[in-house]
Amino acid sequence: MNDEDVGFTWLDRAIVWLGKKLSLVFAVIVLVSFYEIIRRYVFDAPTLWVHETVTFAGATLFVIGGLYALATDRHVRIVLVYDAVSHRTQRWLRVVHHLLGLAFCGMLLFASWSMAKGAVLAPWGGIRLETSGSAWNPPFPALLKVAILVAVAVMTLQFLLHLIRDLRGKGDK
């Protein structure tokens, strides 16, 4: 593991560890997609489950990828400005970034909570998972919306931990 990939906090290190393990699922997605291609074009026997399963797995991994990018400090930033300033100014730019990230996560928490609640709870209050509406009809839409809510909650905690680190001056390189 590179020093760049270890993360800044205990949460970052856990996300990096989990991300490296889950990255293997992309290989499974390729194999399952290849299986579907063979079934469809060689045996003229397409499946019902492959497309929805692969889409759900890939979408979930991309959601987790956002956590990994923040944990390893590989998110998008304007390096032309960032690299041209002193370490102290870089730290304050990171503080502004974390504050804006927290504000954004606050809005996303509200939206993802509303989305997940609607996907998991029926109007009468009972549990009813939203399904895809296909012939197979798995509850993947509800599960993905819950995964997004959990990921946004974790990202909010990440931003908070990074903000505390940089306010204490421990993020200087």
Side-chain angles (χ1 to χ4, degrees):
M1 187 181 293
N2 292 338
D3 286 340
E4 295 176 349
D5 291 342
V6 294
F8 299 112
T9 66
W10 60 271
L11 181 59
D12 291 338
R13 288 187 290 280
I15 290 168
V16 169
W17 179 85
L18 180 65
K20 288 184 184 291
K21 304 298 182 237
L22 289 177
S23 68
L24 298 174
V25 175
F26 279 116
V28 174
I29 288 172
V30 169
L31 292 174
V32 171
S33 297
F34 181 71
Y35 167 79
E36 172 64 13
I37 290 167
I38 298 299
R39 291 267 320 224
R40 179 177 302 262
Y41 296 108
V42 174
F43 299 110
D44 196 28
T47 64
L48 289 173
W49 61 272
V50 170
H51 177 71
E52 289 184 272
T53 303
V54 164
T55 301
F56 169 70
T60 304
L61 290 173
F62 279 108
V63 168
I64 294 168
L67 300 175
Y68 187 91
L70 184 57
T72 57
D73 200 29
R74 299 243 171 97
H75 51 82
V76 177
R77 84 165 41 114
I78 303 170
V79 294
L80 182 67
V81 173
Y82 187 80
D83 289 346
V85 297
S86 69
H87 290 297
R88 179 179 164 86
T89 304
Q90 286 178 355
R91 181 172 59 127
W92 288 109
L93 287 172
R94 287 193 308 270
V95 166
V96 170
H97 171 260
H98 303 325
L99 290 171
L100 292 173
L102 280 169
F104 181 69
C105 281
M107 291 181 273
L108 278 180
L109 274 173
F110 175 75
S112 61
W113 168 256
S114 300
M115 196 172 59
K117 183 178 165 190
V120 172
L121 296 178
W124 57 87
I127 293 178
R128 177 195 49 98
L129 297 179
E130 177 184 351
T131 58
S132 67
S134 68
W136 183 38
N137 208 26
F140 290 158
L143 298 176
L144 182 59
K145 290 173 184 179
V146 169
I148 290 169
L149 173 62
V150 170
V152 171
V154 171
M155 185 174 278
T156 303
L157 181 57
Q158 271 183 288
F159 272 119
L160 190 60
L161 292 173
H162 288 202
L163 177 64
I164 291 168
R165 178 204 65 207
D166 283 330
L167 286 174
R168 289 182 176 171
K170 296 185 179 185
D172 292 332
K173 295 177 181 177

